[in-house]
Amino acid sequence: MQADKGESGGIRGAVAMSRFFLRERVRPGERVVDATCGNGHDTLLLARLVGPTGKVWAFDLQERALAATRELLAGAGCLAQAILVAAGHERLAELVQEPIRAVVFNLGYLPGGEKGVVTRPAETLTALDQAADLLLPGGLITVCVYTGHPGGPEEGEAVAKWAAALPPAVFNVWISRQPNRPPTAPYLVLVEKVR
Ligand SMILES: C[S@@+](CC[C@H](N)C(=O)[O-])C[C@H]1O[C@@H](n2cnc3c(N)ncnc32)[C@H](O)[C@@H]1O
């Protein structure tokens, strides 16, 4: 496994598991989306996976998040394949009109940032619907869900209900939890489009 900051413990948590699947699936030259770029760590992984011939759209509402992502990508020499979008991910279908291999959601608030700017169920579900439509066969949606902040458990339930309603002939859906961690540990909702 490619070494990433914070992943020395193997598939230690939901983010590490999301990245495990992204590495398995995303190839050079492909188009992918980070729906919540935050400090840019997932965007950087995606930019490395698609390489200079691919494209990563990175969405965030906060200029601070986009600036941190820009700096991280520039430092790694990966800025050329990234499109930083200062807009909510609920505008995904309007702003991305190409078939997509993977869409990454990391819900909640920006670590070290404004806790009032948090993902919310209405926008998250709108973006998930659009992501499912844009996804190529074999494509993945990864959603890391956090339940330790106000509104987090409700957002997780909304995402689980959305995922449960996806037609099984078209989508494989998984929810991965860690029974040996506190019940508030983040968990991963994984959606694979099979055709
Ligand atoms: C948990 S952080 C993402 C962390 C990021 N993946 C990383 O590696 O640093 C969640 C981010 O979602 C952003 N956000 C909240 N609502 C959003 C929306 N409607 N569209 C896009 N981003 C949103 C927040 O500003 C915050 O930066």
Side-chain angles (χ1 to χ4, degrees):
M1 192 193 286
Q2 180 185 332
D4 257 7
K5 193 179 163 199
E7 286 187 32
S8 53
I11 307 173
R12 198 173 54 172
V15 170
M17 180 169 263
S18 159
R19 293 177 182 169
F20 182 86
F21 285 107
L22 293 168
R23 288 192 189 97
E24 190 278 333
R25 195 54 56 97
V26 176
R27 293 286 170 264
E30 293 189 322
R31 271 78 177 125
V32 295
V33 172
D34 187 347
T36 52
C37 73
N39 288 321
H41 301 294
D42 291 320
T43 311
L44 177 59
L45 171 68
L46 291 169
R48 283 181 168 148
L49 291 174
V50 300
T53 59
K55 215 186 270 185
V56 185
W57 286 265
F59 284 76
D60 209 291
L61 295 174
Q62 298 188 67
E63 188 46 51
R64 170 188 180 149
L66 295 162
T69 300
R70 189 177 297 113
E71 191 181 334
L72 190 67
L73 294 176
C78 292
L79 198 52
Q81 58 262 45
I83 301 167
L84 303 185
V85 186
H89 45 223
E90 60 278 8
R91 296 178 60 197
L92 180 62
E94 177 196 332
L95 298 169
V96 177
Q97 279 154 6
E98 298 182 42
I100 294 297
R101 175 63 67 191
V103 185
V104 175
F105 291 81
N106 199 331
L107 303 181
Y109 56 83
L110 182 64
E114 173 55 60
K115 286 193 179 169
V117 185
V118 65
T119 56
R120 299 188 191 280
E123 289 78 21
T124 301
L125 295 191
T126 299
L128 283 169
D129 274 337
Q130 296 174 7
D133 283 345
L134 284 173
L135 216 55
L136 286 162
L140 297 180
I141 300 173
T142 69
V143 189
C144 291
V145 179
Y146 298 80
T147 60
H149 62 280
E154 292 78 10
E155 185 175 35
E157 281 163 27
V159 171
K161 198 168 163 197
W162 172 84
L166 291 172
V170 184
F171 295 97
N172 293 320
V173 175
W174 292 86
I175 298 184
S176 297
R177 289 180 180 268
Q178 294 181 286
N180 63 345
R181 295 278 168 96
T184 51
Y187 59 91
L188 179 70
V189 178
L190 177 71
V191 174
E192 178 189 39
K193 192 169 189 176
V194 288
R195 67 181 172 83

PDB file of all heavy atoms in Angstrom, residues 129-156:
ATOM      1  N   ASP A 129     -27.025  11.673  -5.438  1.00  0.00           N
ATOM      2  CA  ASP A 129     -27.849  11.313  -6.608  1.00  0.00           C
ATOM      3  C   ASP A 129     -27.111  11.649  -7.904  1.00  0.00           C
ATOM      4  O   ASP A 129     -27.063  10.847  -8.842  1.00  0.00           O
ATOM      5  CB  ASP A 129     -29.168  12.106  -6.588  1.00  0.00           C
ATOM      6  CG  ASP A 129     -30.242  11.435  -5.758  1.00  0.00           C
ATOM      7  OD1 ASP A 129     -30.174  10.206  -5.552  1.00  0.00           O
ATOM      8  OD2 ASP A 129     -31.161  12.159  -5.307  1.00  0.00           O
ATOM      9  N   GLN A 130     -26.535  12.837  -7.941  1.00  0.00           N
ATOM     10  CA  GLN A 130     -25.838  13.276  -9.156  1.00  0.00           C
ATOM     11  C   GLN A 130     -24.580  12.437  -9.385  1.00  0.00           C
ATOM     12  O   GLN A 130     -24.262  12.074 -10.521  1.00  0.00           O
ATOM     13  CB  GLN A 130     -25.497  14.763  -9.031  1.00  0.00           C
ATOM     14  CG  GLN A 130     -26.744  15.636  -8.960  1.00  0.00           C
ATOM     15  CD  GLN A 130     -26.428  17.102  -8.700  1.00  0.00           C
ATOM     16  OE1 GLN A 130     -25.267  17.522  -8.692  1.00  0.00           O
ATOM     17  NE2 GLN A 130     -27.475  17.896  -8.490  1.00  0.00           N
ATOM     18  N   ALA A 131     -23.897  12.104  -8.304  1.00  0.00           N
ATOM     19  CA  ALA A 131     -22.683  11.277  -8.420  1.00  0.00           C
ATOM     20  C   ALA A 131     -23.042   9.895  -8.973  1.00  0.00           C
ATOM     21  O   ALA A 131     -22.344   9.360  -9.844  1.00  0.00           O
ATOM     22  CB  ALA A 131     -22.012  11.146  -7.059  1.00  0.00           C
ATOM     23  N   ALA A 132     -24.131   9.324  -8.484  1.00  0.00           N
ATOM     24  CA  ALA A 132     -24.536   7.989  -8.951  1.00  0.00           C
ATOM     25  C   ALA A 132     -24.848   8.013 -10.447  1.00  0.00           C
ATOM     26  O   ALA A 132     -24.557   7.049 -11.172  1.00  0.00           O
ATOM     27  CB  ALA A 132     -25.740   7.507  -8.148  1.00  0.00           C
ATOM     28  N   ASP A 133     -25.432   9.125 -10.924  1.00  0.00           N
ATOM     29  CA  ASP A 133     -25.739   9.255 -12.359  1.00  0.00           C
ATOM     30  C   ASP A 133     -24.459   9.394 -13.189  1.00  0.00           C
ATOM     31  O   ASP A 133     -24.353   8.832 -14.282  1.00  0.00           O
ATOM     32  CB  ASP A 133     -26.609  10.496 -12.611  1.00  0.00           C
ATOM     33  CG  ASP A 133     -28.060  10.257 -12.219  1.00  0.00           C
ATOM     34  OD1 ASP A 133     -28.444   9.082 -12.033  1.00  0.00           O
ATOM     35  OD2 ASP A 133     -28.797  11.258 -12.083  1.00  0.00           O
ATOM     36  N   LEU A 134     -23.507  10.169 -12.693  1.00  0.00           N
ATOM     37  CA  LEU A 134     -22.279  10.449 -13.460  1.00  0.00           C
ATOM     38  C   LEU A 134     -21.311   9.271 -13.491  1.00  0.00           C
ATOM     39  O   LEU A 134     -20.421   9.202 -14.344  1.00  0.00           O
ATOM     40  CB  LEU A 134     -21.535  11.638 -12.840  1.00  0.00           C
ATOM     41  CG  LEU A 134     -22.075  13.038 -13.093  1.00  0.00           C
ATOM     42  CD1 LEU A 134     -21.288  14.048 -12.251  1.00  0.00           C
ATOM     43  CD2 LEU A 134     -21.964  13.410 -14.576  1.00  0.00           C
ATOM     44  N   LEU A 135     -21.491   8.342 -12.560  1.00  0.00           N
ATOM     45  CA  LEU A 135     -20.492   7.287 -12.363  1.00  0.00           C
ATOM     46  C   LEU A 135     -20.422   6.321 -13.555  1.00  0.00           C
ATOM     47  O   LEU A 135     -21.436   5.884 -14.089  1.00  0.00           O
ATOM     48  CB  LEU A 135     -20.883   6.498 -11.107  1.00  0.00           C
ATOM     49  CG  LEU A 135     -19.770   5.984 -10.210  1.00  0.00           C
ATOM     50  CD1 LEU A 135     -18.839   7.093  -9.754  1.00  0.00           C
ATOM     51  CD2 LEU A 135     -20.399   5.275  -8.999  1.00  0.00           C
ATOM     52  N   LEU A 136     -19.218   5.967 -13.950  1.00  0.00           N
ATOM     53  CA  LEU A 136     -18.986   4.941 -14.976  1.00  0.00           C
ATOM     54  C   LEU A 136     -19.277   3.553 -14.394  1.00  0.00           C
ATOM     55  O   LEU A 136     -19.138   3.359 -13.176  1.00  0.00           O
ATOM     56  CB  LEU A 136     -17.512   4.935 -15.378  1.00  0.00           C
ATOM     57  CG  LEU A 136     -17.002   6.071 -16.248  1.00  0.00           C
ATOM     58  CD1 LEU A 136     -15.473   6.116 -16.154  1.00  0.00           C
ATOM     59  CD2 LEU A 136     -17.462   5.860 -17.682  1.00  0.00           C
ATOM     60  N   PRO A 137     -19.611   2.576 -15.220  1.00  0.00           N
ATOM     61  CA  PRO A 137     -19.651   1.197 -14.707  1.00  0.00           C
ATOM     62  C   PRO A 137     -18.277   0.846 -14.118  1.00  0.00           C
ATOM     63  O   PRO A 137     -17.244   1.162 -14.708  1.00  0.00           O
ATOM     64  CB  PRO A 137     -19.952   0.372 -15.956  1.00  0.00           C
ATOM     65  CG  PRO A 137     -20.622   1.334 -16.887  1.00  0.00           C
ATOM     66  CD  PRO A 137     -19.995   2.676 -16.631  1.00  0.00           C
ATOM     67  N   GLY A 138     -18.304   0.236 -12.942  1.00  0.00           N
ATOM     68  CA  GLY A 138     -17.046  -0.043 -12.239  1.00  0.00           C
ATOM     69  C   GLY A 138     -16.604   1.108 -11.354  1.00  0.00           C
ATOM     70  O   GLY A 138     -15.601   0.999 -10.657  1.00  0.00           O
ATOM     71  N   GLY A 139     -17.361   2.192 -11.396  1.00  0.00           N
ATOM     72  CA  GLY A 139     -16.989   3.367 -10.607  1.00  0.00           C
ATOM     73  C   GLY A 139     -17.418   3.244  -9.155  1.00  0.00           C
ATOM     74  O   GLY A 139     -18.283   2.432  -8.812  1.00  0.00           O
ATOM     75  N   LEU A 140     -16.793   4.059  -8.310  1.00  0.00           N
ATOM     76  CA  LEU A 140     -17.027   4.006  -6.860  1.00  0.00           C
ATOM     77  C   LEU A 140     -17.452   5.362  -6.307  1.00  0.00           C
ATOM     78  O   LEU A 140     -16.941   6.402  -6.736  1.00  0.00           O
ATOM     79  CB  LEU A 140     -15.739   3.640  -6.116  1.00  0.00           C
ATOM     80  CG  LEU A 140     -15.091   2.292  -6.371  1.00  0.00           C
ATOM     81  CD1 LEU A 140     -13.823   2.181  -5.514  1.00  0.00           C
ATOM     82  CD2 LEU A 140     -16.054   1.156  -6.045  1.00  0.00           C
ATOM     83  N   ILE A 141     -18.361   5.310  -5.337  1.00  0.00           N
ATOM     84  CA  ILE A 141     -18.603   6.460  -4.455  1.00  0.00           C
ATOM     85  C   ILE A 141     -18.174   6.016  -3.068  1.00  0.00           C
ATOM     86  O   ILE A 141     -18.615   4.958  -2.589  1.00  0.00           O
ATOM     87  CB  ILE A 141     -20.088   6.860  -4.414  1.00  0.00           C
ATOM     88  CG1 ILE A 141     -20.593   7.237  -5.808  1.00  0.00           C
ATOM     89  CG2 ILE A 141     -20.307   8.012  -3.434  1.00  0.00           C
ATOM     90  CD1 ILE A 141     -22.105   7.470  -5.870  1.00  0.00           C
ATOM     91  N   THR A 142     -17.304   6.782  -2.431  1.00  0.00           N
ATOM     92  CA  THR A 142     -16.947   6.490  -1.039  1.00  0.00           C
ATOM     93  C   THR A 142     -17.461   7.638  -0.172  1.00  0.00           C
ATOM     94  O   THR A 142     -17.288   8.804  -0.521  1.00  0.00           O
ATOM     95  CB  THR A 142     -15.430   6.312  -0.833  1.00  0.00           C
ATOM     96  OG1 THR A 142     -14.765   7.561  -0.999  1.00  0.00           O
ATOM     97  CG2 THR A 142     -14.849   5.296  -1.798  1.00  0.00           C
ATOM     98  N   VAL A 143     -18.118   7.285   0.927  1.00  0.00           N
ATOM     99  CA  VAL A 143     -18.650   8.301   1.849  1.00  0.00           C
ATOM    100  C   VAL A 143     -18.154   7.980   3.257  1.00  0.00           C
ATOM    101  O   VAL A 143     -18.541   6.962   3.843  1.00  0.00           O
ATOM    102  CB  VAL A 143     -20.198   8.310   1.855  1.00  0.00           C
ATOM    103  CG1 VAL A 143     -20.702   9.515   2.656  1.00  0.00           C
ATOM    104  CG2 VAL A 143     -20.774   8.298   0.449  1.00  0.00           C
ATOM    105  N   CYS A 144     -17.291   8.812   3.805  1.00  0.00           N
ATOM    106  CA  CYS A 144     -16.880   8.673   5.212  1.00  0.00           C
ATOM    107  C   CYS A 144     -17.847   9.481   6.055  1.00  0.00           C
ATOM    108  O   CYS A 144     -18.003  10.691   5.842  1.00  0.00           O
ATOM    109  CB  CYS A 144     -15.455   9.176   5.421  1.00  0.00           C
ATOM    110  SG  CYS A 144     -14.257   8.097   4.632  1.00  0.00           S
ATOM    111  N   VAL A 145     -18.514   8.777   6.966  1.00  0.00           N
ATOM    112  CA  VAL A 145     -19.566   9.394   7.770  1.00  0.00           C
ATOM    113  C   VAL A 145     -19.058   9.587   9.201  1.00  0.00           C
ATOM    114  O   VAL A 145     -18.507   8.653   9.797  1.00  0.00           O
ATOM    115  CB  VAL A 145     -20.818   8.487   7.803  1.00  0.00           C
ATOM    116  CG1 VAL A 145     -21.912   9.130   8.664  1.00  0.00           C
ATOM    117  CG2 VAL A 145     -21.328   8.217   6.391  1.00  0.00           C
ATOM    118  N   TYR A 146     -19.286  10.795   9.736  1.00  0.00           N
ATOM    119  CA  TYR A 146     -18.889  11.123  11.110  1.00  0.00           C
ATOM    120  C   TYR A 146     -20.146  11.371  11.937  1.00  0.00           C
ATOM    121  O   TYR A 146     -21.047  12.086  11.487  1.00  0.00           O
ATOM    122  CB  TYR A 146     -18.016  12.383  11.131  1.00  0.00           C
ATOM    123  CG  TYR A 146     -16.726  12.194  10.369  1.00  0.00           C
ATOM    124  CD1 TYR A 146     -16.699  12.289   8.980  1.00  0.00           C
ATOM    125  CD2 TYR A 146     -15.553  11.884  11.044  1.00  0.00           C
ATOM    126  CE1 TYR A 146     -15.527  12.093   8.274  1.00  0.00           C
ATOM    127  CE2 TYR A 146     -14.375  11.685  10.349  1.00  0.00           C
ATOM    128  CZ  TYR A 146     -14.369  11.793   8.964  1.00  0.00           C
ATOM    129  OH  TYR A 146     -13.208  11.592   8.271  1.00  0.00           O
ATOM    130  N   THR A 147     -20.192  10.791  13.124  1.00  0.00           N
ATOM    131  CA  THR A 147     -21.408  10.913  13.926  1.00  0.00           C
ATOM    132  C   THR A 147     -21.164  11.642  15.244  1.00  0.00           C
ATOM    133  O   THR A 147     -22.071  11.731  16.060  1.00  0.00           O
ATOM    134  CB  THR A 147     -21.984   9.519  14.227  1.00  0.00           C
ATOM    135  OG1 THR A 147     -20.996   8.779  14.944  1.00  0.00           O
ATOM    136  CG2 THR A 147     -22.358   8.783  12.961  1.00  0.00           C
ATOM    137  N   GLY A 148     -19.959  12.162  15.455  1.00  0.00           N
ATOM    138  CA  GLY A 148     -19.616  12.772  16.750  1.00  0.00           C
ATOM    139  C   GLY A 148     -19.985  14.236  16.879  1.00  0.00           C
ATOM    140  O   GLY A 148     -19.719  14.834  17.907  1.00  0.00           O
ATOM    141  N   HIS A 149     -20.589  14.846  15.856  1.00  0.00           N
ATOM    142  CA  HIS A 149     -20.973  16.265  15.946  1.00  0.00           C
ATOM    143  C   HIS A 149     -22.487  16.380  15.756  1.00  0.00           C
ATOM    144  O   HIS A 149     -23.101  15.463  15.185  1.00  0.00           O
ATOM    145  CB  HIS A 149     -20.231  17.075  14.867  1.00  0.00           C
ATOM    146  CG  HIS A 149     -20.567  16.666  13.463  1.00  0.00           C
ATOM    147  ND1 HIS A 149     -20.006  15.560  12.868  1.00  0.00           N
ATOM    148  CD2 HIS A 149     -21.428  17.178  12.552  1.00  0.00           C
ATOM    149  CE1 HIS A 149     -20.487  15.428  11.645  1.00  0.00           C
ATOM    150  NE2 HIS A 149     -21.358  16.386  11.429  1.00  0.00           N
ATOM    151  N   PRO A 150     -23.089  17.485  16.205  1.00  0.00           N
ATOM    152  CA  PRO A 150     -24.535  17.631  16.060  1.00  0.00           C
ATOM    153  C   PRO A 150     -24.954  17.513  14.588  1.00  0.00           C
ATOM    154  O   PRO A 150     -24.351  18.143  13.712  1.00  0.00           O
ATOM    155  CB  PRO A 150     -24.798  19.050  16.587  1.00  0.00           C
ATOM    156  CG  PRO A 150     -23.650  19.358  17.472  1.00  0.00           C
ATOM    157  CD  PRO A 150     -22.467  18.625  16.904  1.00  0.00           C
ATOM    158  N   GLY A 151     -25.946  16.703  14.331  1.00  0.00           N
ATOM    159  CA  GLY A 151     -26.417  16.501  12.960  1.00  0.00           C
ATOM    160  C   GLY A 151     -25.732  15.345  12.257  1.00  0.00           C
ATOM    161  O   GLY A 151     -26.226  14.841  11.243  1.00  0.00           O
ATOM    162  N   GLY A 152     -24.583  14.905  12.790  1.00  0.00           N
ATOM    163  CA  GLY A 152     -23.833  13.817  12.145  1.00  0.00           C
ATOM    164  C   GLY A 152     -24.605  12.503  12.085  1.00  0.00           C
ATOM    165  O   GLY A 152     -24.678  11.873  11.024  1.00  0.00           O
ATOM    166  N   PRO A 153     -25.193  12.056  13.214  1.00  0.00           N
ATOM    167  CA  PRO A 153     -25.936  10.785  13.161  1.00  0.00           C
ATOM    168  C   PRO A 153     -27.091  10.829  12.165  1.00  0.00           C
ATOM    169  O   PRO A 153     -27.311   9.864  11.416  1.00  0.00           O
ATOM    170  CB  PRO A 153     -26.447  10.620  14.592  1.00  0.00           C
ATOM    171  CG  PRO A 153     -25.497  11.405  15.440  1.00  0.00           C
ATOM    172  CD  PRO A 153     -25.075  12.568  14.591  1.00  0.00           C
ATOM    173  N   GLU A 154     -27.789  11.963  12.123  1.00  0.00           N
ATOM    174  CA  GLU A 154     -28.927  12.093  11.202  1.00  0.00           C
ATOM    175  C   GLU A 154     -28.446  12.072   9.742  1.00  0.00           C
ATOM    176  O   GLU A 154     -29.078  11.459   8.873  1.00  0.00           O
ATOM    177  CB  GLU A 154     -29.677  13.412  11.468  1.00  0.00           C
ATOM    178  CG  GLU A 154     -30.388  13.455  12.809  1.00  0.00           C
ATOM    179  CD  GLU A 154     -29.468  13.725  14.009  1.00  0.00           C
ATOM    180  OE1 GLU A 154     -28.275  14.064  13.806  1.00  0.00           O
ATOM    181  OE2 GLU A 154     -29.938  13.564  15.155  1.00  0.00           O
ATOM    182  N   GLU A 155     -27.317  12.715   9.503  1.00  0.00           N
ATOM    183  CA  GLU A 155     -26.790  12.699   8.135  1.00  0.00           C
ATOM    184  C   GLU A 155     -26.390  11.274   7.747  1.00  0.00           C
ATOM    185  O   GLU A 155     -26.657  10.814   6.633  1.00  0.00           O
ATOM    186  CB  GLU A 155     -25.587  13.646   8.020  1.00  0.00           C
ATOM    187  CG  GLU A 155     -25.091  13.758   6.577  1.00  0.00           C
ATOM    188  CD  GLU A 155     -23.977  14.779   6.412  1.00  0.00           C
ATOM    189  OE1 GLU A 155     -23.153  14.925   7.342  1.00  0.00           O
ATOM    190  OE2 GLU A 155     -23.922  15.415   5.343  1.00  0.00           O
ATOM    191  N   GLY A 156     -25.782  10.547   8.701  1.00  0.00           N
ATOM    192  CA  GLY A 156     -25.415   9.152   8.431  1.00  0.00           C
ATOM    193  C   GLY A 156     -26.632   8.293   8.117  1.00  0.00           C
ATOM    194  O   GLY A 156     -26.600   7.474   7.193  1.00  0.00           O
TER     195      GLY A 156
END
